[in-house]
PDB file of all heavy atoms in Angstrom:
ATOM      1  N   ALA A 479     194.159 171.004  81.626  1.00 45.00           N
ATOM      2  CA  ALA A 479     194.537 171.086  82.975  1.00 45.00           C
ATOM      3  C   ALA A 479     193.497 171.599  83.874  1.00 45.00           C
ATOM      4  O   ALA A 479     193.442 171.203  85.086  1.00 45.00           O
ATOM      5  CB  ALA A 479     195.809 171.859  83.132  1.00 45.00           C
ATOM      6  N   ALA A 480     192.736 172.527  83.388  1.00 40.00           N
ATOM      7  CA  ALA A 480     191.745 173.210  84.180  1.00 40.00           C
ATOM      8  C   ALA A 480     190.639 172.235  84.589  1.00 40.00           C
ATOM      9  O   ALA A 480     189.912 172.476  85.600  1.00 40.00           O
ATOM     10  CB  ALA A 480     191.115 174.421  83.363  1.00 40.00           C
ATOM     11  N   SER A 481     190.444 171.073  83.821  1.00 49.00           N
ATOM     12  CA  SER A 481     189.405 170.210  84.154  1.00 49.00           C
ATOM     13  C   SER A 481     189.790 169.329  85.389  1.00 49.00           C
ATOM     14  O   SER A 481     188.762 168.640  85.976  1.00 49.00           O
ATOM     15  CB  SER A 481     189.139 169.302  82.958  1.00 49.00           C
ATOM     16  OG  SER A 481     190.166 168.408  82.748  1.00 49.00           O
ATOM     17  N   GLY A 482     190.977 169.374  85.830  1.00 54.00           N
ATOM     18  CA  GLY A 482     191.390 168.482  86.832  1.00 54.00           C
ATOM     19  C   GLY A 482     191.576 167.032  86.550  1.00 54.00           C
ATOM     20  O   GLY A 482     191.570 166.130  87.371  1.00 54.00           O
ATOM     21  N   ALA A 483     191.739 166.785  85.168  1.00 62.00           N
ATOM     22  CA  ALA A 483     191.897 165.352  84.693  1.00 62.00           C
ATOM     23  C   ALA A 483     193.275 164.859  85.171  1.00 62.00           C
ATOM     24  O   ALA A 483     194.178 165.495  84.907  1.00 62.00           O
ATOM     25  CB  ALA A 483     191.722 165.317  83.283  1.00 62.00           C
ATOM     26  N   TYR A 484     193.315 163.569  85.716  1.00 71.00           N
ATOM     27  CA  TYR A 484     194.444 162.963  86.203  1.00 71.00           C
ATOM     28  C   TYR A 484     194.179 161.492  86.068  1.00 71.00           C
ATOM     29  O   TYR A 484     193.140 161.091  86.196  1.00 71.00           O
ATOM     30  CB  TYR A 484     195.044 163.484  87.314  1.00 71.00           C
ATOM     31  CG  TYR A 484     194.047 163.215  88.527  1.00 71.00           C
ATOM     32  CD1 TYR A 484     194.106 162.069  89.312  1.00 71.00           C
ATOM     33  CD2 TYR A 484     193.117 164.187  88.836  1.00 71.00           C
ATOM     34  CE1 TYR A 484     193.229 161.889  90.319  1.00 71.00           C
ATOM     35  CE2 TYR A 484     192.194 163.965  89.871  1.00 71.00           C
ATOM     36  CZ  TYR A 484     192.366 162.857  90.516  1.00 71.00           C
ATOM     37  OH  TYR A 484     191.352 162.619  91.594  1.00 71.00           O
ATOM     38  N   ARG A 485     195.288 160.760  86.091  1.00 77.00           N
ATOM     39  CA  ARG A 485     195.180 159.239  86.018  1.00 77.00           C
ATOM     40  C   ARG A 485     195.372 158.627  87.433  1.00 77.00           C
ATOM     41  O   ARG A 485     196.306 159.102  88.212  1.00 77.00           O
ATOM     42  CB  ARG A 485     196.262 158.680  85.086  1.00 77.00           C
ATOM     43  CG  ARG A 485     196.110 157.124  84.994  1.00 77.00           C
ATOM     44  CD  ARG A 485     197.171 156.574  83.919  1.00 77.00           C
ATOM     45  NE  ARG A 485     197.071 155.162  83.768  1.00 77.00           N
ATOM     46  CZ  ARG A 485     196.175 154.515  82.993  1.00 77.00           C
ATOM     47  NH1 ARG A 485     195.312 155.197  82.357  1.00 77.00           N
ATOM     48  NH2 ARG A 485     196.223 153.232  82.872  1.00 77.00           N
ATOM     49  N   THR A 486     194.592 157.801  87.864  1.00 87.00           N
ATOM     50  CA  THR A 486     194.616 157.141  89.220  1.00 87.00           C
ATOM     51  C   THR A 486     195.775 156.331  89.191  1.00 87.00           C
ATOM     52  O   THR A 486     196.062 155.492  88.303  1.00 87.00           O
ATOM     53  CB  THR A 486     193.345 156.266  89.446  1.00 87.00           C
ATOM     54  OG1 THR A 486     192.182 157.119  89.338  1.00 87.00           O
ATOM     55  CG2 THR A 486     193.490 155.685  90.929  1.00 87.00           C
ATOM     56  N   PRO A 487     196.756 156.443  90.206  1.00 87.00           N
ATOM     57  CA  PRO A 487     198.020 155.642  90.220  1.00 87.00           C
ATOM     58  C   PRO A 487     197.613 154.151  90.252  1.00 87.00           C
ATOM     59  O   PRO A 487     196.636 153.723  90.859  1.00 87.00           O
ATOM     60  CB  PRO A 487     198.615 156.044  91.533  1.00 87.00           C
ATOM     61  CG  PRO A 487     198.123 157.477  91.795  1.00 87.00           C
ATOM     62  CD  PRO A 487     196.707 157.379  91.269  1.00 87.00           C
ATOM     63  N   ALA A 488     198.434 153.333  89.481  1.00 84.00           N
ATOM     64  CA  ALA A 488     198.160 151.951  89.345  1.00 84.00           C
ATOM     65  C   ALA A 488     198.136 151.180  90.593  1.00 84.00           C
ATOM     66  O   ALA A 488     197.123 150.384  90.780  1.00 84.00           O
ATOM     67  CB  ALA A 488     199.329 151.406  88.439  1.00 84.00           C
ATOM     68  N   PRO A 489     198.942 151.415  91.604  1.00 88.00           N
ATOM     69  CA  PRO A 489     198.798 150.697  92.897  1.00 88.00           C
ATOM     70  C   PRO A 489     197.503 150.988  93.538  1.00 88.00           C
ATOM     71  O   PRO A 489     196.853 150.141  94.183  1.00 88.00           O
ATOM     72  CB  PRO A 489     200.048 151.130  93.726  1.00 88.00           C
ATOM     73  CG  PRO A 489     200.961 151.662  92.794  1.00 88.00           C
ATOM     74  CD  PRO A 489     200.194 152.255  91.661  1.00 88.00           C
ATOM     75  N   LEU A 490     197.012 152.238  93.539  1.00 94.00           N
ATOM     76  CA  LEU A 490     195.690 152.571  94.183  1.00 94.00           C
ATOM     77  C   LEU A 490     194.568 152.010  93.358  1.00 94.00           C
ATOM     78  O   LEU A 490     193.691 151.466  93.876  1.00 94.00           O
ATOM     79  CB  LEU A 490     195.620 154.056  94.141  1.00 94.00           C
ATOM     80  CG  LEU A 490     194.341 154.700  94.802  1.00 94.00           C
ATOM     81  CD1 LEU A 490     194.173 154.054  96.140  1.00 94.00           C
ATOM     82  CD2 LEU A 490     194.454 156.228  94.832  1.00 94.00           C
ATOM     83  N   ALA A 491     194.648 151.937  91.988  1.00 93.00           N
ATOM     84  CA  ALA A 491     193.606 151.364  91.238  1.00 93.00           C
ATOM     85  C   ALA A 491     193.511 149.894  91.481  1.00 93.00           C
ATOM     86  O   ALA A 491     192.341 149.233  91.589  1.00 93.00           O
ATOM     87  CB  ALA A 491     193.880 151.623  89.737  1.00 93.00           C
ATOM     88  N   ASP A 492     194.689 149.212  91.632  1.00 92.00           N
ATOM     89  CA  ASP A 492     194.606 147.823  92.005  1.00 92.00           C
ATOM     90  C   ASP A 492     194.105 147.524  93.397  1.00 92.00           C
ATOM     91  O   ASP A 492     193.312 146.633  93.529  1.00 92.00           O
ATOM     92  CB  ASP A 492     196.119 147.200  91.880  1.00 92.00           C
ATOM     93  CG  ASP A 492     196.590 147.067  90.454  1.00 92.00           C
ATOM     94  OD1 ASP A 492     195.657 146.901  89.600  1.00 92.00           O
ATOM     95  OD2 ASP A 492     197.794 147.048  90.263  1.00 92.00           O
ATOM     96  N   LEU A 493     194.306 148.425  94.365  1.00 95.00           N
ATOM     97  CA  LEU A 493     193.768 148.308  95.729  1.00 95.00           C
ATOM     98  C   LEU A 493     192.316 148.413  95.534  1.00 95.00           C
ATOM     99  O   LEU A 493     191.608 147.497  96.251  1.00 95.00           O
ATOM    100  CB  LEU A 493     194.347 149.287  96.641  1.00 95.00           C
ATOM    101  CG  LEU A 493     193.804 149.362  97.999  1.00 95.00           C
ATOM    102  CD1 LEU A 493     193.888 147.998  98.749  1.00 95.00           C
ATOM    103  CD2 LEU A 493     194.512 150.507  98.852  1.00 95.00           C
ATOM    104  N   LEU A 494     191.783 149.397  94.944  1.00 97.00           N
ATOM    105  CA  LEU A 494     190.278 149.528  94.854  1.00 97.00           C
ATOM    106  C   LEU A 494     189.658 148.300  94.257  1.00 97.00           C
ATOM    107  O   LEU A 494     188.616 147.783  94.673  1.00 97.00           O
ATOM    108  CB  LEU A 494     189.880 150.790  94.139  1.00 97.00           C
ATOM    109  CG  LEU A 494     189.665 152.063  94.950  1.00 97.00           C
ATOM    110  CD1 LEU A 494     191.016 152.557  95.525  1.00 97.00           C
ATOM    111  CD2 LEU A 494     189.050 153.090  94.127  1.00 97.00           C
ATOM    112  N   ALA A 495     190.245 147.796  93.173  1.00 96.00           N
ATOM    113  CA  ALA A 495     189.669 146.590  92.519  1.00 96.00           C
ATOM    114  C   ALA A 495     189.720 145.381  93.430  1.00 96.00           C
ATOM    115  O   ALA A 495     188.854 144.597  93.432  1.00 96.00           O
ATOM    116  CB  ALA A 495     190.403 146.392  91.260  1.00 96.00           C
ATOM    117  N   ARG A 496     190.779 145.199  94.165  1.00 95.00           N
ATOM    118  CA  ARG A 496     191.001 144.045  95.121  1.00 95.00           C
ATOM    119  C   ARG A 496     190.055 144.059  96.240  1.00 95.00           C
ATOM    120  O   ARG A 496     189.722 143.065  96.974  1.00 95.00           O
ATOM    121  CB  ARG A 496     192.396 143.933  95.541  1.00 95.00           C
ATOM    122  CG  ARG A 496     193.354 143.555  94.431  1.00 95.00           C
ATOM    123  CD  ARG A 496     194.801 143.589  94.962  1.00 95.00           C
ATOM    124  NE  ARG A 496     194.974 142.411  95.827  1.00 95.00           N
ATOM    125  CZ  ARG A 496     196.092 142.150  96.587  1.00 95.00           C
ATOM    126  NH1 ARG A 496     197.139 143.097  96.271  1.00 95.00           N
ATOM    127  NH2 ARG A 496     196.169 141.134  97.402  1.00 95.00           N
ATOM    128  N   LEU A 497     189.530 145.336  96.638  1.00 97.00           N
ATOM    129  CA  LEU A 497     188.535 145.446  97.754  1.00 97.00           C
ATOM    130  C   LEU A 497     187.248 145.122  97.407  1.00 97.00           C
ATOM    131  O   LEU A 497     186.346 144.849  98.263  1.00 97.00           O
ATOM    132  CB  LEU A 497     188.556 146.974  98.265  1.00 97.00           C
ATOM    133  CG  LEU A 497     189.887 147.413  98.862  1.00 97.00           C
ATOM    134  CD1 LEU A 497     189.735 148.951  99.168  1.00 97.00           C
ATOM    135  CD2 LEU A 497     189.902 146.785 100.278  1.00 97.00           C
TER     136      LEU A 497
END
Side-chain angles (χ1 to χ4, degrees):
S481 70
Y484 58 91
R485 186 173 178 84
T486 305
L490 180 55
D492 285 333
L493 173 57
L494 266 73
R496 294 178 66 185
L497 288 170

